[in-house]
Amino acid sequence: MATLADIGVSAALNILGAFIFLIAFAILRLQPFNDRVYFPKWYLKGLRDSPTHGGAFVRKFVNLDFRSYIRFLNWMPEALKMPEPELIEHAGLDSAVYLRIYLIGLKIFVPIALVAWSVLVPVNWTNDTLDVAVKISNVTASDIDKLSISNVPLKSQRFWTHVVMAYAFTFWTCYVLLKEYEKVANLRLQFVASEKRRPDQFTVLVRNVPPDPDESVSELVEHFFLVNHPNHYLTHQVVVNANKLAKLVKKKKKLQNWLDYYQLKYSRNNSKRPMMKTGFLGLWGEKVDGIDYHISEIEKLSKEIAEERERVVSDPKAIMPAAFVSFNSRWGAAVCAQTQQTRNPTLWLTEWASEPRDVYWQNLAIPYVSLSVRRLIMGVAFFFLTFFFMIPIAIVQSFASIEGIEKAVPFLKPVIEAKFIKSVIQGFLPGIALKLFLIFLPTILMIMSKFEGFISLSSLERRAATRYYLFNFVNVFLGSIIAGTAFEQLNSFLKQSANDIPKTIGIAIPKKATFFITYIMVDGWAGIAGEILMLKPLIIFHLKNFFLVKTEKDRVEAMDPGSLGFNSGEPRIQFYFLLGLVYATVTPLLLPFIIVFFALAYVVFRHQIINVYNQRYESAAAFWPDVHRRIIAALIISQLLLMGLLSTKKAALSTPFLIALPVLTIWFHYFSKDRYESAFVKYPLQEAMMKDTLERAREPNLNLKGYLRNAYIHPVFKGEDDDDDALFNNEENENVLVLTKRQSRRNTPVPSKMSGASSPSLPEVVQEDPEP
Amino acid sequence: MATLADIGVSAALNILGAFIFLIAFAILRLQPFNDRVYFPKWYLKGLRDSPTHGGAFVRKFVNLDFRSYIRFLNWMPEALKMPEPELIEHAGLDSAVYLRIYLIGLKIFVPIALVAWSVLVPVNWTNDTLDVAVKISNVTASDIDKLSISNVPLKSQRFWTHVVMAYAFTFWTCYVLLKEYEKVANLRLQFVASEKRRPDQFTVLVRNVPPDPDESVSELVEHFFLVNHPNHYLTHQVVVNANKLAKLVKKKKKLQNWLDYYQLKYSRNNSKRPMMKTGFLGLWGEKVDGIDYHISEIEKLSKEIAEERERVVSDPKAIMPAAFVSFNSRWGAAVCAQTQQTRNPTLWLTEWASEPRDVYWQNLAIPYVSLSVRRLIMGVAFFFLTFFFMIPIAIVQSFASIEGIEKAVPFLKPVIEAKFIKSVIQGFLPGIALKLFLIFLPTILMIMSKFEGFISLSSLERRAATRYYLFNFVNVFLGSIIAGTAFEQLNSFLKQSANDIPKTIGIAIPKKATFFITYIMVDGWAGIAGEILMLKPLIIFHLKNFFLVKTEKDRVEAMDPGSLGFNSGEPRIQFYFLLGLVYATVTPLLLPFIIVFFALAYVVFRHQIINVYNQRYESAAAFWPDVHRRIIAALIISQLLLMGLLSTKKAALSTPFLIALPVLTIWFHYFSKDRYESAFVKYPLQEAMMKDTLERAREPNLNLKGYLRNAYIHPVFKGEDDDDDALFNNEENENVLVLTKRQSRRNTPVPSKMSGASSPSLPEVVQEDPEP
């Protein structure tokens, strides 16, 4: 067991690490040649054009103004300065509400920590159970344990304090959650009702249009809605299967990049035509002229693309049984989205269309029965992934051992037997296998969600986040508390009684406090400080800048800032809620560490959202019910574990008083769900009618049909050339901007434990994402 | 353990009992003076007017045509003759679909029984485990056990047969369920779309209208819907709080009954004015003339009623914040019922209005927050009711013991000490206490549902049925298998591991086969045969006929046939599904008994529905998702128990193969729910539009507003005098019929184990049902 001093040393080290990151960041961000890495959002908004320092050549790359280095923490107050409404305007509601998750953490845990330290710590401290135990049986006990519930003797009446505190913490958490739910629901409704006209307000996605022998899908859709929504139907846009076309376009883009690379190489060294090999990774195959080869390849591809484009437009098989149907009023769209159209609930499925850039086009045509089967398969697969993920890793690890390698590639034997290499393999490779798996996990979960058939990026990410949270809970939380793999745990839980499970975990919890404190400092403090450094995007930008960039357009593409990764970021925050709530009554010492995490992360991410990230979709905080649900789940888990812990303390009378807590918490969950969730699912008719009336009064001659006609066209049909120019269009033209930005959409650098650790997932996602 | 011969004797006795009931029924139903008890439905329909046999005075009461007695089972083919569409027309969809539950039982269990007997019985029989066991340890084993899974030796490969059979039975059950769900959903949609115009097709119930300082509720509703549904709103009817008025009207009716009684008494014996005491139950108090007293009382009440009626109409406090809003088209109503109206999802709540006669008026004004709290309270109360119901009964029982009575009323001591009375008290009273509780249970559950705030009789009954099923499962099924009270079970389950619970139950299951076979014969065979005898309505009818009936109208009221009690009847059927599915793989011997139950019950209830019951509401089979869900629950329980049983048989390899079954079954549940449930919850716009268009073409000059204006007026405001005349109106006038029939609505005689047993719940329900 670590003592308070040990924790102090560890804290000092981590704070030092965090400071180094922050100072490095402060220095790097001031260099003009890094400007596009640390302030890309402003470039995308067109508010920043070139590094701010003009003058000498050197000063274009290095900041020589030493006074600016002194104020190296200046970005912190700056990040906090922007008021919330402006932030919503600047970065969208998703980002602003995402920040509120950190704020909730502070709102919940600061008062809890104050109360816990002023009540629980004295109650725990003024016992001598551990001192006695140390004397009797030579068990080591540290100061930390003296602050925790372990120090209260069996059958003590003092446990009533913990029961009362559990009630107080539960009520406070629920109160904060309810207030916050209300606030976010209002923000969302205001955002949706905000003045700007957006195509998704008028549009509904219809899926599973039944086949008809006499009519095409387009005719069928038009007739159906003309009959069943006679006064409201306006126009529609049939969905086409352009997946192959999108792949070709993407391939062409890649070749174009290589062509740029070779041309740049040639222009720098005119003496030699750049040569390349056509085989795998350029390692073997025929040697050809890089420039000529790529030009001819691109030409071939362009022809293929033109043919495919022709085919998609004319071939009825490329038409999917789905369409975006637009109405002449928000009221009409709201009605259509919320009602059932026909007897058979699996045909003519209507739902709100997501924003055009949020649509995940590939999944639009999956038929209903298949969806249900896919969900089953993924459910089972996720179960095995969670409980048996150690098996394939163990296999890889056994292969990665000395004997395994020697067996597979005998000729390497002499090399491996060398002492240094041997120790590297033995000490490092098994860890690497596990680490690699964990790094790829969010990507794997995203692929699973995609297979399940969700049709918007936001819902894909939400589902992946739920799964990641469950995985974290089983494998990180339970896995750290109880030794052994998840499957061993499952097996032992199945063999234990329902009463004993919380007991087993509950007993172990106080002992693991130091471990989790260290975890918070490494992952939460240093990790978040590393996040702001953006090491990976920094390197990639400079590499691209050197090898590929020819025009301003190229430079904009190279600086692609990515967006907040909800699917991996949110479950990470949730883990801190879980830790905080579980340890609030048990070891209040842990709370300040969590508070520091929430405060630091809030500032860092506020800065990032203002200056860096460029969200690739806007779901208007549709994820909030998930956030709310998971905090409540953490609350219930903490209550059950406290019950288990107290029942082993022979405080028999106090345990029954805790039973009411989970019941009340579950009830609170349903209450708040009934009260606020509909704001995230439905669109009230009154709002729609109000907006419609206002708009009709203001713009009586609006050509809505023209406005909506091409809003939901597949991105691949938007001209390839105009997309990047559109990036520099002003706000007024946001609709087009939205659509074309999608063209150059990149994947989010996943915020994971270390900024560096997040890198490997990028190429993976890009590969299986077949859009251009 | 009972042998096959024992079962045979028991079966013979029960068949004999059932036959006696059937013969008694055959004789009683042919007597003209019972005609109104056994064929009330035809009287209510106006198709039968007076006993069919004219002629001599005696023949008016007794059927002397001996030939008709010979064909005493004639009613059976007659009951089966009516085709389903006609049955729907005759008795409504609820009744017709209720019968399909029995049919499903036959469809599921007849093939399962055939397969089980041709495969499992030989496999079980040709072992000698039990013979050997008998020889070794002198355990008694019967022939029944030789047919069951107990006869297969440990570790036998024969268990594979049971695993394969479990799969086959599951697939067959799911297949039947899916087909049936489809069929019922279609029936419902056809029924709803049937030609007849009904007010609930155009009407939506709005609740939680927010208070407004400037406008009355009525104005507010009108303005809100004129603004937000401008082209569809037609008219509305504000809900008034007429609960007190309804109570007064009911009281007056009761007094009127007594007046009739005394007047009849006087008319039969003119020599003496009938006297009565005014005190409690007529036992003490002032002695007054019965006729004069009641006339003056009724006069007083009439005045009070007139005043209250005045007050309800004029007092704004009597106006509830709820209204029935009618639209000019089914489309408009369908849209309003399925959409959210305002930002705050707890205001302006819209849902389909039930049929006028299905509305439970008292609950219309419960505010939203209170609803949520009520649900929590009732959830907790039901938990305690299920697991601790033995405690109050034990207290009552201890009071009902000799010592308890002697202590409470010492002066009765000499009487009680008499030997005969003592033995009655000791042997009978404790059982009576339990029996009384079980008889009142459905009523208690109905009261709980009412407190929870459901606003239609059909939803009240559905909720009560769910609770009754759970209670049955815990206390009858588990309670019979494992000895001990429900709370003791719960306690032991909490202390057992998740693995061990199905094991504990699984082991006990084969041993309880004979018990359940006997249960099926007593409750299922004899009980159902007793149902058709209608002993209680028969007695009540003749009592009323003798004491109260003066006019034809009185006679119609006296013959009140009641309706099918879904809240207690359906859970009873479900219990047989549970038994059948659990024992299908374990002891196939039980299946024929269940098949006989389903067949007999099908015939009996078909007869009752055709000739007797008069449904008090029509929910268009809205209960089917519940039925479906509970059969699936039974299927999953049977799979888990088989897993538990097999794991104790050391057939280790076969158990993992069973794990897939519950997973697949749960998946099937979600699949079928997604596919068909919406037919029971939503009303597709296409259907609505079709009906609207048709109607407009056929009746272009229809005065819909006039048709709808008074459809949802509180029943107490419908004239009191015209209601019974309306009963004799023809079908054409069904809307009015529906409304006024409600006036004379009575409670259903609950079909319980014995026809007699069901009686005591009637007065209870009537008492707490404050409608006239």
Side-chain angles (χ1 to χ4, degrees), chain B residues 633-650:
Chain B
L635 197 56
I636 293 171
I637 291 166
S638 78
Q639 292 156 355
L640 293 178
L641 295 186
L642 182 65
M643 261 164 70
L645 179 60
L646 281 190
S647 68
T648 62
K649 293 283 186 177
K650 304 198 176 151

Side-chain angles (χ1 to χ4, degrees), chain A residues 111-158:
Chain A
I112 286 185
L114 288 178
V115 174
W117 274 82
S118 56
V119 177
L120 284 181
V121 167
V123 167
N124 293 337
W125 182 262
T126 51
N127 289 288
D128 53 359
T129 317
L130 293 176
D131 291 345
V132 174
V134 168
K135 273 176 206 154
I136 294 173
S137 56
N138 239 353
V139 177
T140 52
S142 70
D143 300 338
I144 292 171
D145 290 321
K146 283 203 68 178
L147 292 172
S148 85
I149 203 171
S150 317
N151 200 28
V152 183
L154 296 183
K155 296 184 191 172
S156 168
Q157 290 301 315
R158 292 191 179 204

Side-chain angles (χ1 to χ4, degrees), chain B residues 644-670:
Chain B
L645 179 60
L646 281 190
S647 68
T648 62
K649 293 283 186 177
K650 304 198 176 151
L653 266 174
S654 55
T655 317
F657 281 87
L658 286 173
I659 292 174
L661 268 184
V663 174
L664 285 174
T665 312
I666 290 169
W667 173 78
F668 168 77
H669 169 60
Y670 283 107

Side-chain angles (χ1 to χ4, degrees), chain B residues 147-159:
Chain B
L147 292 173
S148 87
I149 204 171
S150 317
N151 199 30
V152 182
L154 297 184
K155 295 184 190 172
S156 167
Q157 290 302 316
R158 294 191 177 205
F159 286 117

Side-chain angles (χ1 to χ4, degrees), chain A residues 409-679:
Chain A
V409 271
F411 56 86
L412 280 180
K413 199 170 171 177
V415 184
I416 292 171
E417 293 283 322
K419 208 173 173 188
F420 172 73
I421 294 179
K422 193 172 176 178
S423 67
V424 165
I425 291 176
Q426 280 179 329
F428 220 58
L429 272 186
I432 292 263
L434 179 59
K435 193 78 195 161
L436 272 179
F437 170 81
L438 289 178
I439 286 168
F440 284 119
L441 184 64
T443 316
I444 294 171
L445 293 176
M446 274 300 274
I447 294 171
M448 285 172 69
S449 306
K450 280 175 184 166
F451 181 80
E452 249 182 306
F454 291 98
I455 50 165
S456 65
L457 296 171
S458 51
S459 53
L460 283 171
E461 292 203 343
R462 282 202 298 278
R463 169 54 67 107
T466 305
R467 295 237 158 105
Y468 196 24
Y469 177 72
L470 285 174
F471 187 92
N472 259 351
F473 174 69
V474 171
N475 284 301
V476 182
F477 183 72
L478 293 184
S480 306
I481 289 178
I482 312 157
T485 64
F487 177 67
E488 282 165 18
Q489 290 165 34
L490 181 70
N491 203 22
S492 76
F493 284 160
L494 279 178
K495 285 185 181 145
Q496 280 181 330
S497 82
N499 262 346
D500 283 346
I501 295 170
K503 267 187 210 167
T504 320
I505 308 171
I507 297 170
I509 278 186
K511 296 180 199 154
K512 291 289 173 180
T514 39
F515 168 78
F516 281 118
I517 288 174
T518 320
Y519 179 90
I520 293 167
M521 289 191 294
V522 173
D523 178 68
W525 297 8
I528 291 292
E531 166 80 33
I532 205 172
L533 201 58
M534 304 236 302
L535 217 51
K536 203 201 74 191
L538 183 72
I539 294 166
I540 287 183
F541 172 73
H542 286 301
L543 283 179
K544 277 192 178 171
N545 209 9
F546 189 74
F547 288 116
L548 298 176
V549 169
K550 283 192 306 188
T551 63
E552 185 65 9
K553 170 193 146 189
D554 292 344
R555 188 164 291 122
V556 168
E557 280 195 19
M559 81 181 174
D560 169 45
S563 56
L564 274 173
F566 180 81
N567 58 325
S568 58
E570 194 265 354
R572 246 178 95 197
I573 317 176
Q574 288 292 348
F575 194 69
Y576 291 93
F577 280 106
L578 180 63
L579 285 183
L581 289 170
V582 166
Y583 279 100
T585 40
V586 175
T587 311
L589 183 71
L590 191 127
L591 292 175
F593 293 88
I594 285 193
I595 291 172
V596 170
F597 159 76
F598 277 117
L600 181 65
Y602 177 68
V603 179
V604 166
F605 276 98
R606 211 167 203 271
H607 172 267
Q608 298 290 80
I609 281 170
I610 292 173
N611 297 306
V612 183
Y613 293 137
N614 179 37
Q615 291 304 101
R616 52 177 173 154
Y617 63 81
E618 174 63 59
S619 70
F623 56 78
W624 194 260
D626 285 11
V627 173
H628 181 86
R629 195 182 313 124
R630 288 203 265 274
I631 297 180
I632 284 188
L635 197 56
I636 292 171
I637 291 165
S638 78
Q639 292 157 353
L640 294 178
L641 295 186
L642 183 65
M643 258 164 73
L645 179 60
L646 282 191
S647 69
T648 63
K649 292 284 187 179
K650 304 199 175 148
L653 265 174
S654 53
T655 316
F657 281 87
L658 286 173
I659 292 175
L661 268 184
V663 174
L664 284 174
T665 312
I666 291 170
W667 173 78
F668 169 76
H669 169 61
Y670 283 107
F671 172 75
S672 51
K673 187 183 155 103
D674 285 356
R675 179 66 185 77
Y676 293 114
E677 204 184 68
S678 75

Side-chain angles (χ1 to χ4, degrees), chain B residues 174-189:
Chain B
C174 289
Y175 173 77
V176 172
L177 280 176
L178 193 70
K179 284 279 146 203
E180 206 66 18
Y181 214 155
E182 187 184 350
K183 176 85 188 156
V184 173
N186 279 333
L187 280 177
R188 178 183 161 91
L189 286 167

Side-chain angles (χ1 to χ4, degrees), chain A residues 228 331 338 340-345 368 372 494-497 499 667 674-675 678 685-687, chain B residues 228 331 338-345 368 372 494-497 499 667 674-675 678 685-687:
Chain A
N228 293 304
W331 194 91
Q338 291 177 54
Q340 186 179 330
Q341 307 306 311
T342 60
R343 280 191 178 194
N344 186 336
Y368 185 79
S372 176
L494 279 178
K495 285 185 181 145
Q496 280 181 330
S497 82
N499 262 346
W667 173 78
D674 285 356
R675 179 66 185 77
S678 75
L685 294 186
Q686 195 181 27
E687 298 284 313
Chain B
N228 292 305
W331 194 91
Q338 291 177 53
T339 49
Q340 187 179 329
Q341 307 306 313
T342 60
R343 278 191 178 195
N344 186 337
Y368 185 80
S372 175
L494 279 178
K495 284 186 181 144
Q496 279 181 331
S497 83
N499 262 347
W667 173 78
D674 286 355
R675 179 66 185 78
S678 74
L685 294 186
Q686 195 182 26
E687 299 283 313

